[in-house]
């Protein structure tokens, strides 16, 4: 009976990891004694794509970091080998340049990158208190950036203006990428 339970878990993990690539909740009831309520694949950070389909501006994972493709060049296939793609990409969070050479027919990982806007409620102890206008959820775990964007957020907040903050999220990391004053039209 235990081998059967392990087999069912293995099959469930296989399908959630390799086919769905998103945060899935799967319900499965096998019998009265064995029940799996839900399973989270944990691998919802990327989707596989073919190297030859990558273009400038698309995203790729290089050295376990989400990067934006800056330049891609493809060599011609040689006598004994396939075409190779040389990819130069910039880390979307740190700005570091990364390079990778991959066969054109190979599969690389394309990270899921989400960009979302929030309304700024307050700034408490160096952290932003943000409101999602769609779900009305608050987010309090984003630190005020230590760059021009952070200075702009502080300035607009001190002037008591409505501030819209854009957050970029991928692979468990989040970063403020833009701040602007909200303009109500109507």
């Amino acid at each position: 009976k235990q081998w059967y339970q392990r087999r069912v878990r293995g099959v469930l993990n296989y399908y959630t990891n390799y086919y769905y690539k998103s945060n899935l909740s799967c319900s499965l009831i096998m019998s009265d004694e064995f029940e799996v309520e839900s399973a989270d694949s944990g691998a919802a950070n990327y989707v596989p794509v073919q190297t030859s389909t990558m273009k400038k501006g698309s995203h790729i994972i290089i050295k376990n970091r989400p990067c934006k493709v800056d330049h891609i060049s493809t060599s011609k296939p040689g006598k004994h080998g396939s075409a190779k793609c040389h990819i130069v990409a910039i880390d979307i969070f740190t700005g570091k340049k990364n390079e990778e050479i991959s066969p054109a027919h190979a599969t690389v990982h394309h990270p899921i990158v989400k960009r979302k806007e929030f309304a700024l409620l307050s700034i408490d102890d160096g952290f932003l208190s943000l409101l999602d206008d769609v779900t009305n959820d608050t987010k309090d775990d984003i630190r005020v950036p230590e760059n021009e964007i952070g200075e702009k957020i502080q300035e607009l907040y001190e002037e008591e203006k409505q501030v819209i903050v854009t957050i970029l999220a991928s692979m468990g990391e989040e970063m403020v990428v833009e701040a602007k004053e909200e303009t109500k039209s109507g």
Side-chain angles (χ1 to χ4, degrees):
K1 184 142 190 165
Q2 288 179 340
W3 70 267
Y4 183 72
Q5 292 172 351
R6 282 194 304 264
R7 178 73 179 138
V8 169
R9 282 191 203 120
V11 169
L12 183 63
N13 285 337
Y14 175 81
Y15 283 109
T16 55
N17 280 329
Y18 294 104
Y19 286 102
Y20 296 113
K21 298 291 184 199
S22 63
N23 287 331
L24 292 181
S25 290
C26 301
S27 294
L28 176 67
I29 299 173
M30 293 302 293
S31 69
D32 294 339
E33 297 172 8
F34 176 63
E35 184 174 327
V36 177
E37 286 296 324
S38 66
D40 185 6
S41 68
N45 297 329
Y46 63 86
V47 292
V49 295
Q50 192 170 359
T51 307
S52 60
T53 63
M54 300 296 292
K55 295 189 178 2
K56 183 176 180 176
S58 60
H59 294 93
I60 184 173
I61 296 175
I62 299 177
K63 298 178 186 167
N64 249 0
R65 301 289 304 159
C67 301
K68 189 172 191 173
V69 175
D70 185 46
H71 177 74
I72 187 165
S73 60
T74 306
S75 66
K76 293 182 178 180
K79 185 175 180 182
H80 298 292
S82 61
K84 303 273 191 290
C85 293
H86 179 245
I87 301 168
V88 178
I90 312 260
D91 190 311
I92 60 175
F93 294 116
T94 64
K96 289 184 180 178
K97 185 190 265 189
N98 293 310
E99 295 186 39
E100 183 170 308
I101 297 174
S102 174
H105 66 276
T107 301
V108 293
H109 300 298
H110 174 77
I112 296 171
V113 179
K114 294 180 182 174
R115 188 179 184 99
K116 194 162 188 179
E117 290 186 344
F118 293 89
L120 178 66
L121 298 175
S122 65
I123 299 175
D124 300 317
D125 297 327
F127 286 89
L128 302 173
S129 180
L130 304 170
L131 174 70
D132 185 351
D133 289 337
V134 178
T135 63
N136 285 335
D137 291 335
T138 58
K139 186 171 195 57
D140 300 315
D141 59 347
I142 303 291
R143 192 176 284 281
V144 177
E146 297 177 5
N147 56 21
E148 304 87 34
I149 298 169
E151 292 170 9
K152 183 177 180 182
I153 292 171
Q154 290 277 11
E155 181 183 311
L156 290 172
Y157 180 71
E158 288 168 3
E159 294 173 5
E160 297 184 3
K161 296 184 177 177
Q162 296 291 323
V163 182
I164 300 296
V165 177
T166 305
I167 305 288
L168 192 69
S170 179
M171 297 181 66
E173 288 186 60
E174 296 176 314
M175 184 176 83
V176 176
V177 291
E178 185 182 6
K180 60 186 175 187
E181 183 180 353
E182 182 176 19
T183 55
K184 293 277 185 180
S185 60

